[in-house]
Amino acid sequence: EDKVVQSPLSLVVHEGDTVTLNCSYEVTNFRSLLWYKQEKKAPTFLFMLTSSGIEKKSGRLSSILDKKELSSILNITATQTGDSAIYLCAVEEVKLVFGKGTKLTVNP
Amino acid sequence: KAGVTQTPRYLIKTRGQQVTLSCSPISGHRSVSWYQQTPGQGLQFLFEYFSETQRNKGNFPGRFSGRQFSNSRSEMNVSTLELGDSALYLCASSQPGREKLFFGSGTQLSVL
């Protein structure tokens, strides 16, 4: 049974659109939730959210943690072709448990 | 500061063979984790090493093993390869007690 579920699995948008990626989790001892961007091979870190830091923003990207709903969203505004990637959500439960990712394609 | 380095980048093997993958963490990082990534399953945790000791292990058969050396470099070994072992194997390092992982570019393993 998957402990971290991401939706949608894939998404195709046009440049300039705003997208919202979802991540829900079910772990026993939640410590943190992390978002990564994977363009080719190496996932790169975007945000980490904890009980004491439930909202993060960096440029056009922002993320919110909903502790009550056990979920998080990643928002990307004014998308660009360079945002095309797989976005991974991971929850720390002793180790990082990853969702299957959302593949985002931004067309010109 | 150099990032996480994995070698080789690509590997082609046949069923029944064994393979060894290498990972050099970021300088100062003593924790190394390994993940298997396939299109259908996403990233699945293999194991984590800290100070030459395996701290956590995922749900993989005993054919998958690893080790860490005193300089924090790590290797993972897969014996008796199966077609289903074809995947991208990612290594990540972190500072002790920190959740944030820094990933290498992975080793793409193809089993024919």
Side-chain angles (χ1 to χ4, degrees):
Chain A
E1 184 178 326
D2 291 345
K3 293 185 175 183
V4 181
V5 179
Q6 293 187 245
S7 63
L9 291 180
S10 67
L11 191 56
V12 180
V13 300
H14 292 289
E15 267 192 320
D17 288 349
T18 293
V19 298
T20 298
L21 310 183
N22 301 284
C23 175
S24 62
Y25 59 90
E26 185 176 339
V27 297
T28 306
N29 297 306
F30 174 84
R31 292 178 59 177
S32 61
L33 184 146
L34 292 84
W35 285 96
Y36 283 84
K37 177 183 181 182
Q38 186 177 28
E39 293 182 78
K40 292 181 179 178
K41 295 289 177 70
T44 54
F45 173 81
L46 292 175
F47 298 117
M48 184 171 77
L49 303 162
T50 66
S51 297
S52 58
I54 62 172
E55 187 168 355
K56 293 288 177 70
K57 182 177 172 62
S58 176
R60 298 177 294 103
L61 278 67
S62 63
S63 182
I64 297 174
L65 175 68
D66 188 331
K67 293 180 291 181
K68 184 178 179 182
E69 297 296 328
L70 305 185
S71 65
S72 175
I73 60 171
L74 176 67
N75 280 320
I76 308 175
T77 61
T79 52
Q80 303 170 356
T81 55
D83 295 327
S84 295
I86 296 174
Y87 290 83
L88 299 165
C89 171
V91 175
E92 187 192 8
E93 184 198 40
V94 181
K95 60 187 183 297
L96 280 188
V97 179
F98 283 83
K100 290 184 169 58
T102 293
K103 182 178 180 180
L104 174 64
T105 302
V106 182
N107 291 324
Chain B
K1 196 182 247 189
V4 178
T5 304
Q6 290 188 248
T7 57
R9 295 292 300 276
Y10 302 92
L11 208 49
I12 299 176
K13 292 287 187 179
T14 56
R15 280 183 302 173
Q17 288 186 309
Q18 76 167 22
V19 66
T20 299
L21 312 182
S22 180
C23 172
S24 293
I26 291 172
S27 177
H29 287 192
R30 294 165 60 192
S31 178
V32 173
S33 300
W34 288 89
Y35 287 82
Q36 180 196 66
Q37 186 177 29
T38 57
Q41 296 299 318
L43 268 80
Q44 294 193 295
F45 175 76
L46 282 156
F47 23 67
E48 179 193 5
Y49 286 90
F50 175 73
S51 291
E52 303 178 65
T53 302
Q54 187 179 90
R55 285 208 299 190
N56 291 298
K57 188 177 191 304
N59 296 322
F60 278 82
R63 300 184 296 107
F64 292 81
S65 62
R67 59 178 176 169
Q68 187 180 33
F69 302 96
S70 58
N71 62 358
S72 295
R73 191 177 70 84
S74 177
E75 288 182 347
M76 68 163 282
N77 184 276
V78 188
S79 62
T80 320
L81 284 166
E82 300 177 359
L83 296 178
D85 296 333
S86 295
L88 177 67
Y89 290 87
L90 290 164
C91 167
S93 73
S94 64
Q95 295 178 333
R98 301 286 181 90
E99 306 88 344
K100 183 178 171 182
L101 298 180
F102 293 83
F103 284 88
S105 295
T107 293
Q108 184 70 54
L109 173 65
S110 296
V111 182
L112 307 178

